[in-house]
Amino acid sequence: MSSHAARRRVARRPSRAITRRRRLALVAVAVLLGALCAALVSGLGKEAVNELGALPLRHDDIIRQQAADKDLDPALIAAVIYEESRFRDQTSHAGARGLMQITPQTADAIARHSGGTRFKQSDLAEPQINISYGAYYLRLLLDHYGGNETLAIAAYNAGMGNVDRWVREAGGASEFKSAEHIPFPETRAYVENVMDRRGDYRENYSEDLGL
């Protein structure tokens, strides 16, 4: 080998500093992957997966508590939260707030009926309060419509006044059919989506929801 070729070969060989940096980078990647795997196995990792997945679930402890307290299906509460907010705290253009998108008027009415004398609108940002009030409203709607879940879910979206009118026009609750008697496309889709997601939550999160 000529001296010129030998010099070229030496020039191509990575320096010790570069080699050391590459090794440190590989170690860092390995540590990061190991931490991610550990997080996925831990409860924190499970929460992250549930939150980022196609079907998120958060605050399942509050959902279980409120379902037991209000005699509701926890999967129904989870499905309403998903449809309303995708489990993200937010405020709509109409002023509905929090995970279950409670309007100020509805929140004030629930506070009066439930004895929440210290309630203020900013409390709706708290998951415990928001889910508690949303579950209270669901229970009220189910009682109002004799346990008819379709009517209760429709009223959660469109209001009791609209649903009461639709029921009268249909000739009674027993004659009511979503596809025929709900004139709002948004509400028809809302009812269908909530019922579908309820089944999904029961299938995928039965243990988390205490089912």
Side-chain angles (χ1 to χ4, degrees):
M1 181 184 295
S2 68
S3 60
H4 180 67
R7 284 196 299 273
R8 281 189 306 177
R9 184 173 181 180
V10 171
R12 290 172 183 166
R13 184 181 301 157
S15 68
R16 291 182 178 179
I18 293 175
T19 301
R20 186 164 51 249
R21 285 198 295 271
R22 287 176 179 173
R23 287 176 178 171
L24 288 174
L26 289 173
V27 170
V29 170
V31 170
L32 180 60
L33 289 174
L36 178 60
C37 290
L40 290 174
V41 173
S42 69
L44 178 61
K46 182 180 179 182
E47 180 74 6
V49 170
N50 288 353
E51 183 178 355
L52 297 175
L55 188 70
L57 176 66
R58 302 184 69 194
H59 312 298
D60 46 289
D61 54 339
I62 301 175
I63 292 173
R64 289 194 306 272
Q65 174 206 30
Q66 289 303 311
D69 186 61
K70 309 295 193 303
D71 191 23
L72 293 169
D73 177 4
L76 176 60
I77 299 176
V80 170
I81 295 174
Y82 176 85
E83 193 63 22
E84 291 288 343
S85 70
R86 299 302 194 269
F87 282 86
R88 295 190 297 266
D89 178 32
Q90 54 189 303
T91 301
S92 73
H93 295 301
R97 299 192 62 176
L99 298 171
M100 298 191 75
Q101 291 291 279
I102 311 296
T103 64
Q105 298 83 355
T106 299
D108 286 339
I110 293 171
R112 288 194 301 271
H113 293 152
S114 64
T117 57
R118 297 184 180 181
F119 170 78
K120 52 187 183 297
Q121 290 294 325
S122 59
D123 291 340
L124 291 174
E126 296 293 329
Q128 178 70 54
I129 299 296
N130 197 279
I131 296 174
S132 173
Y133 274 37
Y136 187 98
Y137 189 41
L138 274 175
R139 181 71 265 165
L140 183 150
L141 292 172
L142 282 166
D143 290 344
H144 179 73
Y145 294 110
N148 188 313
E149 293 178 344
T150 297
L151 296 177
I153 295 169
Y156 197 99
N157 175 260
M160 291 174 63
N162 283 320
V163 175
D164 286 350
R165 185 176 71 255
W166 300 339
V167 170
R168 288 195 301 270
E169 292 171 351
S174 61
E175 302 298 322
F176 187 91
K177 296 179 177 61
S178 297
E180 296 180 22
H181 299 118
I182 296 179
F184 298 167
E186 175 191 339
T187 302
R188 287 199 303 272
Y190 182 90
V191 171
E192 182 177 356
N193 291 343
V194 168
M195 297 300 278
D196 286 347
R197 294 296 81 75
R198 177 192 190 182
D200 292 339
Y201 276 105
R202 293 187 70 86
E203 179 178 354
N204 292 281
Y205 290 111
S206 59
E207 183 176 349
D208 302 80
L209 295 171
L211 297 171

